[in-house]
Amino acid sequence: MTRVPEGQTPHYTDQRWRIGEAPWQALAPGEGARLRVLIDNDFSGDPDDLFQIVHHLLSPNVDIRAVIGSHLREGDAFDPSDRSASNARAVAHDVFARMGLESTELLATGAEHGLLDPRTPIPSEASERIIAEAMREDVSTPLYYLAGGGLTDLASALLQEPRIAHRMTVIWIGGAEHEGLAHPPPNAMPIEYNLLIDVTAAQVVFNDSQIPIWQVPRDAYRQVLVSDAELRLRVASTGPLGRYLYEETKHVLDMVSSHLGGAPQTYALGDSPLVLLSVLQSTFEADPSSSRCVRMPTPFLEADGTYTARPEARPMRVYTQLDVRLVLEDLYLKLAEFGRWQMQGAGGS
């Protein structure tokens, strides 16, 4: 339900920069990225992904290699069109323009629909970029695939080139609760939202590949709640970029409030764990050390979204508790710092 820009991208700001730079930081950041990331999200859907991509772009310690716009499920209320992946790319391009970021070569479009079966990939600009980055021999920094929606493009890349499974880790926001770790929320969707986008693709990733998985299931990503007061006073007040994030969120809340019995006071930034688990790893013995996970054999993912234990399977992480304070405070401060820099370029104080 993020509003897709139409026509030519407007001129938002005179402050320009490229990926890897951080001109808004008065004290220059340390040099050198600690890890490489491929970002995949359905940017024409729930606006929580806008917070995620902005937060990543404001974090110079990760080397962003691609930003992939991926599709929603057919008929999704957020974007019922048959071009939701193209719309996602357009939204991401608009975010770049709002930030003055000129590195639009990072943008890629994924498949417009899910896999038809677990053996046939859907080649796309996105899957080719995934394979090319994973197969590089000129870098040694670890590579993470950060997925905030469905897994179509990753699954297609794995089917096209299975060797990439041993060359990166996927961090995925999606999937139902695991028995013994958490319970579903009241009136939960039978198949969790991101999984429902492409169940077959998720089965390829879980069941048929060897790629390491760090999963943030529904019970975990729902922990990242922000209040309306935080959105107004710590996001909207930071400048044009923060105001945009707030307005896109408010647009959704205004549309659904009548169906929820009144105006809610919170919003889940469910894709922000992608930032927490990559950008905000510990300095020494690098790891998302302030969050908690359970290590377990990767279960078999059934067509109905449930799990069947496979004791002999490769290990995976299931995150159960997230450091919400760390990720939200980092977001608020980076937005404020960036907003001051943008306003200086506009002649503000």
Side-chain angles (χ1 to χ4, degrees), residues 333-346:
L333 292 171
K334 284 175 176 172
L335 281 174
E337 192 173 33
F338 183 80
R340 287 194 294 270
W341 174 73
Q342 272 203 319
M343 292 303 291
Q344 289 170 0

Side-chain angles (χ1 to χ4, degrees), residues 48-81:
D48 64 337
D49 46 33
L50 302 180
F51 289 80
Q52 173 262 312
I53 186 58
V54 165
H55 200 168
H56 263 114
L57 294 172
L58 294 179
S59 301
N61 69 322
V62 294
D63 182 8
I64 299 174
R65 304 304 303 169
V67 175
I68 296 166
S70 57
H71 72 89
L72 294 162
R73 70 182 185 276
E74 184 178 356
D76 191 296
F78 278 116
D79 182 354
S81 75

Side-chain angles (χ1 to χ4, degrees), residues 268-284:
L269 299 185
D271 288 338
S272 289
L274 296 176
V275 182
L276 176 65
L277 302 181
S278 60
V279 169
L280 299 173
Q281 294 187 13
S282 55
T283 299
F284 301 107

Side-chain angles (χ1 to χ4, degrees), residues 41 81 182 235 252 256 341:
N41 222 323
S81 75
V235 174
V252 174
V256 303
W341 174 73

